[in-house]
Amino acid sequence: MTSTTTPAPAGAAAAAADAGPSRRRRRLETATPVLMVLPSILAIGVFVYGFIAWTGWVSVSNWTTFVRDLSFNGFGAYTRLFGDFRFLSGLRNVVVFTVLFVGVCLVVGLVLAMIIDRDPFGAPVWRNLFLFPVALSFVVTGVVWQWLLNPRAGVNLLLNRFGWEDLPLWYVSTTIVPGWRWGQIDVVVPVALIAVVIAAAWQMSGFAMAIYLAGLQGIPDELREAARMDGASEIAVYRRVLLPMLRPMTITIIIVLGHISLKTFDLIYVMTGPGTGYVTDVPAVYMYETTFRGNQFARGAAISLLLLGLVALLMVPALWARRRTEEALG
């Protein structure tokens, strides 16, 4: 029995020959973006999430001396922190500092942006002048404002020259207003923190101004003119038209400045240190001294993770609010 094979048409053979290179090209196009971002994914996985996992393990270990001991010790490091006067004082301080710092930056940045948006004389110069402190290190800012707010120098010399008798103590004050007792600590606002807030707001208000100014200049003039033609006053234009449209910028500023303030270290460390009675202490400074000076690595790791949780408490609602706002504005 003889079998015969029908030869394939010439067009089908050519299509089959072209299918190989075409399939390889599609695979290459699909794989190229993955290969481009793979190093970044690996770096983030190792140096961010890997180190977070490592810190978590250290926090539940017995590593409480210079000699490493990673045996499991439970969650004692965490429970002891919430009975620690210094840690509770640091939590109070960092929350107060964040609220005041972000609030002052929002108000000052918005006012400056509104002024510059009206194109006053020398607007480019003023814009760069207000933005310049952002380029400085918090270490430089801390040194400068430590001298300016020194109770025996700087601003107090001017106040004394003008006859001010009850001179402020600035960052060496131990007063807490109103001083309600809550557990081991007094709440709400340590007066010494106001000096740190002034220094931090001086540096970062320019950042808020830049964000708000970009938002204001991105709003079409037709919207303002339409509101004015409808009889809206200048205040109503800002309150009813401009400020609602600046809400995404406000949330962006809160996210950026909020996480900076929650993990602040260098400004406090250089300018005031923990302060008398820990009135200017923050968890980041406590973590540094506990870990690298006291060799209490488990406790230091626990402070780090609690600080990470505090930042997440700010970030997640803020990111959610920003998404809702952007959806509402279209």
Side-chain angles (χ1 to χ4, degrees):
M1 182 175 181
T2 305
S3 64
T4 58
T5 304
T6 304
D18 291 341
S22 176
R23 193 178 300 118
R24 285 195 295 271
R25 187 166 54 249
R26 285 198 299 271
R27 288 177 180 172
L28 183 62
E29 289 174 354
T30 304
T32 299
V34 176
L35 293 175
M36 294 291 287
V37 299
L38 188 60
S40 298
I41 294 174
L42 291 175
I44 292 173
V46 172
F47 294 107
V48 177
Y49 297 104
F51 282 172
I52 290 175
W54 167 256
T55 303
W57 178 251
V58 171
S59 69
V60 295
S61 73
N62 272 310
W63 196 357
T64 56
T65 64
F66 192 72
V67 179
R68 186 171 63 181
D69 181 357
L70 294 176
S71 59
F72 184 69
N73 189 37
F75 296 92
Y78 291 93
T79 56
R80 283 190 292 274
L81 280 175
F82 288 98
D84 186 335
F85 174 77
R86 180 173 181 180
F87 179 72
L88 295 176
S89 299
L91 275 184
R92 173 201 61 200
N93 296 340
V94 79
V95 171
V96 171
F97 174 74
T98 298
V99 172
L100 295 179
F101 166 60
V102 175
V104 171
C105 285
L106 286 174
V107 173
V108 175
L110 181 60
V111 171
L112 293 177
M114 287 177 173
I115 293 173
I116 294 178
D117 183 54
R118 301 181 75 86
D119 198 20
F121 175 75
V125 175
W126 291 112
R127 184 172 57 242
N128 292 327
L129 192 65
F130 294 136
L131 201 54
F132 173 71
V134 180
L136 296 178
S137 161
F138 271 124
V139 174
V140 175
T141 300
V143 171
V144 170
W145 281 93
Q146 185 192 46
W147 178 82
L148 287 175
L149 299 180
N150 187 315
R152 296 185 177 180
V155 174
N156 275 9
L157 291 180
L158 289 176
L159 296 177
N160 188 39
R161 184 69 61 89
F162 286 109
W164 194 308
E165 295 181 356
D166 190 14
L167 296 173
L169 294 175
W170 299 114
Y171 53 81
V172 300
S173 172
T174 57
T175 304
I176 297 175
V177 180
W180 298 324
R181 196 70 180 174
W182 189 56
Q184 298 183 37
I185 61 173
D186 294 332
V187 293
V188 179
V189 180
V191 175
L193 269 183
I194 294 175
V196 186
V197 171
I198 292 172
W202 172 82
Q203 176 162 353
M204 297 306 297
S205 290
F207 168 78
M209 178 209 70
I211 299 293
Y212 275 133
L213 187 60
L216 284 170
Q217 294 180 345
I219 298 174
D221 289 337
E222 290 79 5
L223 290 177
R224 310 183 197 206
E225 294 303 324
R228 293 185 183 113
M229 290 179 67
D230 287 341
S233 65
E234 204 61 27
I235 294 177
V237 170
Y238 277 100
R239 193 162 61 90
R240 300 284 187 183
V241 178
L242 300 183
L243 290 184
M245 298 193 74
L246 290 176
R247 198 172 300 156
M249 288 74 191
T250 301
I251 297 174
T252 298
I253 295 168
I254 291 174
I255 291 173
V256 174
L257 296 186
H259 94 271
I260 289 176
S261 63
L262 287 174
K263 64 182 185 181
T264 186
F265 170 80
D266 39 10
L267 179 63
I268 297 284
Y269 195 77
V270 169
M271 186 174 174
T272 65
T276 304
Y278 304 121
V279 289
T280 56
D281 196 26
V282 290
V285 173
Y286 187 27
M287 183 275 296
Y288 171 77
E289 293 187 350
T290 300
T291 306
F292 300 108
R293 291 188 173 178
N295 296 325
Q296 297 287 326
F297 291 94
R299 170 171 289 205
I303 297 172
S304 299
L305 286 189
L306 289 174
L307 198 55
L308 177 65
L310 200 61
V311 173
L313 280 178
L314 173 72
M315 292 295 111
V316 174
L319 291 173
W320 179 80
R322 177 175 176 170
R323 182 179 176 184
R324 292 292 301 270
T325 304
E326 289 176 346
E327 289 176 354
L329 292 176

